Amino acid sequence: MICAISFISLLIASTAFILYDRYAYKQNLVHEVTILARIIASHSATAVAYNDVYESRSNLESLGIDSTLVSVCIKSESGQLIAMYSRQHYQPAEDAGKPISGVTCLADQNFIAKFDGEFLDLIQPILWEETQKIGQLHMRVSLSELDRRFTAFTVVMMLIVLVV
């Protein structure tokens, strides 16, 4: 009876720890992606104001170092596509400002951040002189790292529970 109670207690505590870690990781991810989106939006304001698709695209390509980033796009306030970047789909420089086939751009929607299946979608307004909204930036980030972390924590916790 004592073993069963101990096992159930450890299982409940482990489950709570894993679920809290998943929640905290998601909140931290939203915070980090928001900071990154604000930086890119700030650097892209002049390019969006003057409809400079090449400069906008260059700003988006600098995000390529983040392995979890799936795609980014910028639309003007009128809904015109300014630039897109996708990790999986190469786009030649002469096609800058054109849609990339198979890439979702939600920059014309009105949410801040949402988890959609295996992605985090984040919308950041692009402001001209910190006051006038001239466009929006959409970032799509993969949650594959969260899934790997969740799997690793679950395996470790189950091993701990079984050993104890």
Side-chain angles (χ1 to χ4, degrees), residues 25 68 142-150:
Y25 184 88
T68 62
S142 172
L143 298 178
S144 60
E145 182 63 34
L146 173 65
D147 294 336
R148 279 193 291 276
R149 181 181 174 114
F150 181 72

Side-chain angles (χ1 to χ4, degrees), residues 16-148:
F17 175 74
I18 291 170
L19 292 176
Y20 174 75
D21 183 71
R22 188 172 176 88
Y23 168 79
Y25 184 88
K26 281 183 167 183
Q27 296 306 310
N28 190 41
L29 183 64
V30 169
H31 179 72
E32 288 178 3
V33 172
T34 300
I35 290 170
L36 186 60
R38 285 182 180 166
I39 291 168
I40 294 299
S42 173
H43 283 90
S44 299
T46 303
V48 172
Y50 294 106
N51 201 22
D52 186 346
V53 295
Y54 297 108
E55 182 64 26
S56 296
R57 167 95 183 262
S58 175
N59 288 337
L60 298 185
E61 285 178 346
S62 67
L63 294 169
I65 59 171
D66 184 353
S67 63
T68 62
L69 188 69
V70 175
S71 64
V72 187
C73 70
I74 296 175
K75 284 191 176 179
S76 67
E77 188 61 19
S78 65
Q80 175 193 359
L81 180 67
I82 304 291
M84 288 187 96
Y85 167 80
S86 171
R87 179 169 296 287
Q88 270 83 30
H89 302 86
Y90 173 75
Q91 184 183 42
E94 60 270 6
D95 290 340
K98 295 179 183 174
I100 299 174
S101 177
V103 177
T104 304
C105 182
L106 304 175
D108 51 355
Q109 296 192 14
N110 293 319
F111 62 88
I112 296 171
K114 72 176 182 176
F115 290 94
D116 183 24
E118 58 193 50
F119 302 108
L120 164 63
D121 289 307
L122 187 125
I123 304 291
Q124 175 66 42
I126 299 172
L127 304 175
W128 180 251
E129 296 183 0
E130 303 295 323
T131 58
Q132 181 184 1
K133 182 178 172 186
I134 59 171
Q136 289 201 139
L137 171 83
H138 167 238
M139 294 180 74
R140 176 166 270 195
V141 178
S142 172
L143 298 178
S144 60
E145 182 63 34
L146 173 65
D147 294 336
R148 279 193 291 276

